[in-house]
Amino acid sequence: MTQTTSLTIIRPDDWHLHLRDGAMLEGVLPHSAAHFARAIIMPNLVPPVVTGAHAAAYRDRILAALPAGMSFEPLMTLYLTEATDPDDVEAAHASGLVKAVKLYPAGATTNSQSGVKDFGKVQAVLERMAGIGLPLCVHGEVTASDIDIFDREAVFIERVLDPLRRRVPELKVVMEHVTTEDAVQYVAADTSSRLGATVTTHHLIINRNHILAGGIRPHYYCLPVAKREKHRLALRAAATGGDGRFFLGTDSAPHTDPAKLSECGCAGCFTAPNTMGLLAHVFEEEGALDRLEGFASRQGPAFYGLPVNTQTMTLVKQDHPVSHPAKIETGAGPVTVFDPGFEVFWQVQG
Ligand code: DOR
Ligand code: ZN
């Protein structure tokens, strides 16, 4: 059998990305724009991107930070709070600016203090979104301190997500960065065609042992935290299985090394520079290279009702391991690039 050494796919999109602001934005944006045509931009800045006006201003800052000659379309999101105004959401959607609203349960992760505590208070916004076909992107973890951190996603589905979807059945929902077999099964069992899920690159590669066994690895700490091996395998099967409801959202989430390596380190893996090569590696391992295009380039646009990109990307398998810089330097400080812990031979061409 001849080995595949080159793969050309439609240019991919990233359906879940943190770009931050200021010097960090300038440092990380070129790494996403080099490979991805578009990305859903997370709104968890300080302060968060809450209104259409905030989103428009943030979009302008992103485009201003884009190096000359690069093309990249930021797909903006609004951060849902208990004070979000349905009319503002509708106007931001009608103008084409905003492609989703993000739900962070209060306290779930980085900069989520303004998130939702009382879901009754966002019912009117959710109903409006359902009416206009605007998706809700969900960080699916409960925050109750009595729930074990490894159970927070599964409990969220039962206590929050499923009841929410029953209250607003027409709402399109993306379960972001799924990390459990429970989430995979919940999405796969849905028959409404209004439920999708993003899967990160790093959750296809690490399980919780990688974070904790043989020394603590802060650069593998993210939220939702990686779970045990059976969950990683379920994610691999979902991502590589050709089911259109699962698509790529890297959740590339840069923090400076001092912020990661402190006594209370930040959650997030920075995968923008090497995600596509890592995905080719994973899909090849699963015998599913022919499904990478669906996962990274077709299924996301289909869920969001957007056209697929017209450009292509070529990945090439080298006969020697590809090396990436261990970290990038940004004006905000150094940011360590996700290290998969194995040799990778696939690389984006050019
Ligand atoms: O690991 C994470 N980092 N998970 C999130 O949900 C937020 C993100 C961040 O903003 O750093
Ligand atoms: Zn995220």
Side-chain angles (χ1 to χ4, degrees):
M1 204 166 83
T2 57
Q3 243 211 336
T4 308
T5 54
S6 165
L7 178 69
T8 297
I9 61 171
I10 290 167
R11 195 169 173 215
D13 303 302
D14 186 347
W15 298 95
H16 182 130
L17 176 64
H18 297 269
L19 285 177
R20 317 297 190 204
D21 218 339
M24 182 64 95
L25 166 64
E26 275 181 34
V28 300
L29 175 60
H31 294 278
S32 286
H35 296 161
F36 296 97
R38 301 169 289 196
I40 285 276
I41 309 301
M42 286 297 123
N44 63 334
L45 305 182
V46 192
V49 179
V50 170
T51 64
H54 291 158
Y58 185 29
R59 181 174 188 275
D60 289 348
R61 295 199 297 281
I62 295 169
L63 292 176
L66 191 63
M70 292 192 112
S71 70
F72 178 75
E73 186 185 356
L75 306 174
M76 306 311 291
T77 63
L78 297 179
Y79 186 119
L80 183 64
T81 73
E82 293 177 6
T84 296
D85 173 4
D87 291 339
D88 184 59
V89 171
E90 181 164 0
H93 172 253
S95 72
L97 172 70
V98 156
K99 294 290 185 276
V101 172
K102 176 73 189 235
L103 165 65
Y104 287 104
T109 185
T110 313
N111 303 331
S112 63
Q113 303 86 333
S114 330
V116 177
K117 292 192 189 77
D118 177 354
F119 285 86
K121 295 205 171 124
V122 295
Q123 177 73 12
V125 186
L126 300 180
E127 284 171 5
R128 186 75 65 90
M129 289 167 57
I132 60 179
L134 180 62
L136 180 72
C137 293
V138 174
H139 183 111
E141 290 191 285
V142 290
T143 53
S145 57
D146 61 325
I147 305 296
D148 189 276
I149 189 164
F150 293 102
D151 298 333
R152 287 179 175 191
E153 183 172 282
V155 174
F156 181 88
I157 295 170
E158 188 190 314
R159 288 196 193 166
V160 181
L161 183 60
D162 197 58
L164 181 151
R165 293 184 58 242
R166 285 175 199 275
R167 286 196 301 274
V168 194
E170 301 298 319
L171 183 67
K172 270 176 108 166
V173 173
V174 184
M175 259 202 100
E176 301 278 46
H177 41 54
V178 288
T179 60
T180 57
E181 187 177 43
D182 313 62
V184 167
Q185 287 173 352
Y186 181 71
V187 173
D190 178 70
T191 53
S192 74
S193 78
R194 286 187 287 274
L195 181 62
T198 56
V199 185
T200 77
T201 305
H202 51 281
H203 286 113
L204 297 174
I205 293 173
I206 58 167
N207 64 31
R208 64 194 199 179
N209 277 13
H210 292 94
I211 312 171
L212 295 169
I216 188 158
R217 313 267 172 185
H219 294 298
Y220 289 159
Y221 173 62
C222 66
L223 289 171
V225 71
K227 309 298 191 295
R228 60 170 69 237
E229 178 66 357
K230 73 163 183 171
H231 297 291
R232 187 185 73 97
L233 296 178
L235 298 176
R236 279 203 169 212
T240 63
D243 182 331
R245 292 169 292 191
F246 297 94
F247 44 91
L248 174 62
T250 66
D251 199 11
S252 180
H255 292 278
T256 63
D257 284 352
K260 289 288 294 175
L261 305 176
S262 83
E263 219 175 324
C264 181
C266 294
C269 298
F270 178 59
T271 55
N274 54 355
T275 273
M276 289 310 301
L278 293 177
L279 286 174
H281 180 105
V282 167
F283 275 67
E284 183 178 49
E285 274 183 351
E286 299 293 327
L289 266 180
D290 58 332
R291 292 183 174 157
L292 179 58
E293 182 180 74
F295 179 69
S297 314
R298 286 186 180 277
Q299 289 152 206
F303 185 87
Y304 276 90
L306 294 171
V308 298
N309 295 313
T310 50
Q311 313 98 312
T312 58
M313 161 186 278
T314 297
L315 290 136
V316 178
K317 190 174 185 185
Q318 313 290 341
D319 52 15
H320 52 84
V322 177
S323 63
H324 279 281
K327 54 188 74 189
I328 64 160
E329 295 300 331
T330 76
V335 178
T336 291
V337 179
F338 177 78
D339 174 2
F342 49 72
E343 289 182 336
V344 178
F345 295 82
W346 285 95
Q347 190 172 35
V348 176
Q349 192 175 54

